[in-house]
Amino acid sequence: MTTVAAAPPASAPRRGGRRRRVREAGLGYLLVLPAVAVFGVFVFYPFVENFRLALYETPPYPGLPSHYVGLHQFAQVLTSGAFFQSLLSTLVFVVMVVPTGLLLGLLLAVAARRRLRGMAAYRVIFSSTVVTSVAVAALVFGTLMDPVVGLLPWLGIDPRPPILDNPTWALPAVAVMAVWQFLGLSFVLMSAGLSSIPEDVLEAARVDGASDWTVFWRVTVPLLSPTLFFGVVVATIYAFQTFGQIDILIGPANAAYEHVNVLVYNVLTTLQVNRTPGEAAVLSIALFLLTLGFTSLQLRFLERRVHYGR
Amino acid sequence: MAQVHFRGATKRYGAVLAVDRLELAVADGELLVLLGPSGCGKTTVLRMVAGLEEVDEGTIVIGDDVVNDVAPKDRDLAMVFQSYALYPHLTVAKNIEFPLRQRRIEGEDRRRRVAEAAASLGLTELLGRKPAQLSGGQRQRVALARAIVRDPKAFLMDEPLSNLDAALRVQTRADIVALQQRLGTTTLYVTHDQVEAMTMGHRIAVLRDGVLQQVAPPQELYDRPANTFVARFLGSPGMNLVPASVTEPASVTEPAPGGVPAPGAAPVPVGPPGDRVDLALAGGRLALGGEAALLARKASSLVVGVRPEHLAIDPAGALGARVVIVELLGAEVQVVCALDDGTQVVVRQGADRPRPAAGELVRLAVDSGALHLFDAESGVRLAVGP
Ligand SMILES: Nc1ncnc2c1ncn2[C@@H]1O[C@H](COP(=O)(O)OP(=O)(O)O)[C@@H](O)[C@H]1O
Ligand SMILES: [Mg+2]
């Protein structure tokens, strides 16, 4: 019967030290294994598989085998009018959501900074949209925008065609809900940014003769710029990835989805409506690169103009 | 330029009475120092003048106007914050320019004023830097420049020197005094440092727990403190205070039991018996005459105050004491002594005088003309000093 010595003999400390190091390294690999496995299965493998998928064309008739077309499919999809339309919708959506979401969050944060009775309750309410599920929010907004029981008929306006089926208003309507849902995060972010601004600097500005308006634009906003910058990055990514709102408010069964076919949603409709997984894969890669590109541009150019406090 | 007048100005933070019915007039062109320990309400007073805190009761008048309801931006004041509160995103030039911009002072005029203010504080070389790139002393000068670049009704300065090292503090102190003299602008200057107050103020207002204790020119404050708090707070170290009781003069009553006269009792001026009293303190006796004696008679119990420079180690002295510590300060020596009853007093003497050793038993002579008498209960001053 043999036993493995748990501890190295005291007479060989150096060899024992090496052995212990090897054993520690082994333990280290063992410990990261679950994380690597999870990432591998759910991120890296799908990522590679998605790229492979993009190289194959699927015939639009079910049952036929897909065949290799290589990068040709990229060229085909990315130069199509449909892609261009979708890209445009995405950019319009980003432009509608990002500034509005950040500005409203900032205004709420400024308002909530006043030391008023009951302000704590408002802070909770303002930040609550962070924890509201997309499904719940979409149901609420769907009801508000309903052509029969919604807000507009209640106000005496007859929405025709219904907002969510309306080529002009469907995308803004989704943007309204996206802004609302982003407001909580925006508010929390801006509140944190505001609280890092030294109170006495704002007071100095007031004594120096600045109006509230001037203090806000000349002192608060510049000092908040690191937060605003971070907010722009986060909000842009958020806008690029707004999916659930569209899916639940409108959905691929409603022909109106074409008015709100932003890139991320286009991936789904290409897959479910057109049934062309290869094209969907190309679109998802395009979205990935677009997000990556935007974010690194923002990091490169905005950061340089940002004032980082003392 | 204008006078600043507090009429019963009161500020409460919840249950804390930060400033209690302040009555104070800062004359036009005066440099008035608001002095007191940390937390006594000095900053609150400044902030009320600036409009950053509301006045709960009473009024504040700047020039001829009650400003209680005037917004800070319309009060036409310049404030130097303890933290300097520079705009961290703006260069030195833009920082100094900021108050001018707010008052629509444009073009050549503005450039000239910024250049002048910067030059008068030696900031010309630094105009392009951001506050983060400046030393503490430089930031302080930028804060001053931002204040003097305009011609405001008054300057408010909140411990502007407290973040500087000792040498720079002395230099800047002199600079501020010179600047204020040149500009002639009414200035309310806050500090907890009595040396700063003594050297800078035309007058000093001493504040304690939100209550004004005394307003007077520095020398008068030092020579005739209104109460034991002021007596202790001014001077470094402050006035020695020893509890005492009034007795009939030893020469009038029979010799003390055992036939031993009060050791080393100072010679008593000859006069009618009522004119003279003895003070029994810390196991010794001090003779008082004249007005001081009359005042002392009225009080049931007293506190005797004597400045360290009016005590001397002298074998013929009236009080017995044991030396605790001898502190050398170069030009002078501070001898901390424990009197026979344990009260500690400080004796200041020239460095050339013979120095006692710690633990040595000595006698202390009191310059009886330089005694201050305070009521033991209220701490209020009874008698005149020198
Ligand atoms: N914003 C505030 N809220 C509550 N209490 C305050 C506030 N500011 C000051 N105080 C209190 O008021 C008193 C005076 O404060 P302050 O004027 O800052 O004193 P000083 O400047 O003399 O050190 C202190 O007891 C302080 O704790
Ligand atoms: Mg203070």
Side-chain angles (χ1 to χ4, degrees):
Chain A
M1 180 179 136
T2 53
T3 50
V4 178
S11 55
R14 295 187 65 191
R15 264 198 67 199
R18 188 161 54 210
R19 213 159 49 188
R20 190 179 312 130
R21 266 204 304 278
V22 169
R23 236 187 9 220
E24 271 181 13
L27 181 66
Y29 287 121
L30 199 68
L31 288 176
V32 295
L33 194 62
V36 170
V38 167
F39 269 91
V41 169
F42 292 103
V43 179
F44 302 136
Y45 171 72
F47 195 83
V48 173
E49 179 61 16
N50 185 58
F51 196 79
R52 197 191 62 80
L53 208 58
L55 304 174
Y56 285 82
E57 193 176 287
T58 316
Y61 311 105
L64 293 177
S66 55
H67 57 97
Y68 180 81
V69 290
L71 294 176
H72 172 71
Q73 185 154 246
F74 280 84
Q76 203 179 16
V77 171
L78 300 184
T79 54
S80 68
F83 172 75
F84 183 73
Q85 196 58 48
S86 176
L87 190 62
L88 197 67
S89 294
T90 309
L91 294 182
V92 168
F93 188 71
V94 166
V95 167
M96 285 191 291
V97 170
V98 174
T100 325
L102 292 177
L103 199 71
L104 286 181
L106 179 56
L107 288 182
L108 287 185
V110 169
R113 225 154 94 99
R114 289 164 198 268
R115 273 170 276 172
L116 294 182
R117 190 188 287 257
M119 197 39 90
Y122 281 99
R123 285 197 199 105
V124 172
I125 293 170
F126 291 162
S127 42
S128 66
T129 72
V130 176
V131 293
T132 309
S133 91
V134 175
V136 171
L139 274 179
V140 170
F141 273 81
T143 311
L144 284 176
M145 293 167 187
D146 189 276
V148 179
V149 299
L151 207 54
L152 284 185
W154 186 73
L155 287 173
I157 301 166
D158 185 10
R160 220 170 282 222
I163 305 172
L164 292 174
D165 301 342
N166 188 316
T168 315
W169 291 108
L171 196 63
V174 174
V176 165
M177 184 193 154
V179 164
W180 178 84
Q181 191 130 39
F182 182 67
L183 216 49
L185 182 61
S186 178
F187 169 75
V188 170
L189 212 64
M190 296 302 158
S191 294
L194 282 182
S195 66
S196 74
I197 296 179
E199 189 73 34
D200 56 3
V201 173
L202 303 177
E203 289 174 347
R206 288 166 63 200
V207 176
D208 279 345
S211 62
D212 289 352
W213 182 254
T214 312
V215 173
F216 182 74
W217 286 109
R218 299 259 166 224
V219 186
T220 306
V221 168
L223 291 183
L224 204 60
S225 54
T227 307
L228 290 173
F229 164 69
F230 180 67
V232 167
V233 173
V234 170
T236 308
I237 295 175
Y238 167 81
F240 272 138
Q241 297 184 342
T242 297
F243 176 85
Q245 287 87 338
I246 299 173
D247 198 42
I248 301 172
L249 270 185
I250 298 170
N254 185 339
Y257 82 79
E258 286 182 10
H259 314 311
V260 292
N261 209 6
V262 296
L263 267 181
V264 66
Y265 203 64
N266 203 353
V267 174
L268 177 86
T269 53
T270 304
L271 191 67
Q272 290 200 341
V273 181
N274 303 359
R275 300 192 180 279
T276 48
E279 288 180 9
V282 170
L283 285 173
S284 70
I285 290 171
L287 177 62
F288 167 72
L289 291 177
L290 193 67
T291 312
L292 190 70
F294 252 94
T295 309
S296 42
L297 267 184
Q298 286 168 339
L299 286 171
R300 284 267 304 267
F301 291 103
L302 278 178
E303 192 169 56
R304 233 177 271 162
R305 308 196 44 188
V306 158
H307 159 77
Y308 279 98
R310 305 181 254 202
Chain B
M1 270 176 283
Q3 56 149 346
V4 178
H5 202 147
F6 299 87
R7 293 195 184 129
T10 299
K11 179 72 198 176
R12 284 187 199 83
Y13 294 110
V16 178
L17 194 52
V19 177
D20 188 6
R21 286 162 294 174
L22 179 62
E23 294 283 348
L24 179 64
V26 189
D28 191 5
E30 182 180 27
L31 198 172
L32 186 123
V33 175
L34 210 52
L35 175 68
S38 179
C40 71
K42 307 179 296 291
T43 297
T44 307
V45 171
L46 274 202
R47 291 173 59 84
M48 284 197 292
V49 180
L52 299 172
E53 298 289 351
E54 277 190 30
V55 183
D56 289 333
E57 278 165 38
T59 55
I60 293 179
V61 180
I62 300 176
D64 301 320
D65 309 317
V66 173
V67 294
N68 286 37
D69 297 323
V70 178
K73 73 180 172 69
D74 300 322
R75 293 197 185 191
D76 193 15
L77 302 168
M79 183 155 172
V80 178
F81 289 72
Q82 184 168 2
S83 59
Y84 310 146
L86 301 180
Y87 308 117
H89 58 299
L90 299 180
T91 60
V92 169
K94 298 260 179 207
N95 260 282
I96 300 175
E97 183 185 272
F98 192 90
L100 297 179
R101 244 177 216 282
Q102 303 318 315
R103 279 160 221 278
R104 308 267 179 279
I105 295 168
E106 310 283 353
E108 188 48 42
D109 189 20
R110 187 167 77 200
R111 264 196 298 282
R112 185 181 47 75
R113 291 214 212 177
V114 171
E116 276 175 14
S120 73
L121 286 155
L123 292 168
T124 309
E125 308 293 312
L126 305 174
L127 283 174
R129 296 220 199 146
K130 294 263 183 82
Q133 300 163 316
L134 301 176
S135 72
Q138 291 167 336
R139 282 179 209 178
Q140 196 273 347
R141 298 210 306 271
V142 176
L144 271 180
R146 186 173 67 181
I148 65 165
V149 73
R150 277 190 323 111
D151 187 19
K153 285 192 178 138
F155 292 140
L156 308 174
M157 303 194 184
D158 193 358
E159 313 210 18
L161 306 183
S162 61
N163 295 330
L164 303 184
D165 62 54
L168 202 54
R169 193 150 49 205
V170 172
Q171 175 58 44
T172 316
R173 201 162 79 196
D175 290 347
I176 293 179
V177 168
L179 207 62
Q180 197 272 341
Q181 209 153 34
R182 181 162 65 79
L183 302 172
T185 307
T186 312
T187 304
L188 198 51
Y189 184 102
V190 160
T191 182
H192 66 268
D193 180 346
Q194 55 95 19
V195 178
E196 222 168 281
M198 293 290 286
T199 51
M200 298 181 72
H202 299 158
R203 285 188 306 156
I204 301 174
V206 181
L207 210 57
R208 177 198 196 185
D209 293 341
V211 179
L212 184 64
Q213 306 289 302
Q214 187 175 7
V215 190
Q219 196 61 47
E220 186 183 330
L221 208 64
Y222 189 80
D223 292 340
R224 300 169 53 88
N227 56 38
T228 49
F229 177 79
V230 177
R232 265 230 182 276
F233 202 76
L234 279 115
S236 58
M239 188 181 284
N240 297 305
L241 296 175
V242 185
S245 55
V246 181
T247 62
E248 288 307 314
S251 52
V252 173
T253 55
E254 286 307 300
V260 186
V268 177
V270 183
D275 259 10
R276 302 177 328 221
V277 292
D278 270 11
L279 293 176
L281 69 157
R285 275 170 177 273
L286 292 176
L288 280 187
E291 193 191 348
L294 289 175
L295 283 164
R297 267 185 197 284
K298 290 186 195 152
S300 47
S301 59
L302 290 175
V303 170
V304 172
V306 55
R307 296 247 174 235
E309 59 269 33
H310 296 136
L311 278 177
I313 294 172
D314 181 347
L319 303 174
R322 191 174 48 77
V323 176
V324 180
I325 300 175
V326 181
E327 295 175 329
L328 306 175
L329 297 176
E332 61 182 31
V333 175
Q334 286 176 6
V335 184
V336 181
C337 300
L339 296 181
D340 289 345
D341 68 344
T343 315
Q344 289 210 340
V345 295
V346 181
V347 181
R348 175 181 291 161
Q349 61 176 37
D352 49 341
R353 297 276 305 272
R355 252 171 250 153
E360 199 176 309
L361 291 176
V362 293
R363 296 205 72 80
L364 302 180
V366 181
D367 180 351
S368 60
L371 285 184
H372 304 252
L373 300 182
F374 302 97
D375 184 81
E377 236 159 79
S378 64
V380 171
R381 173 183 197 81
L382 292 175
V384 294

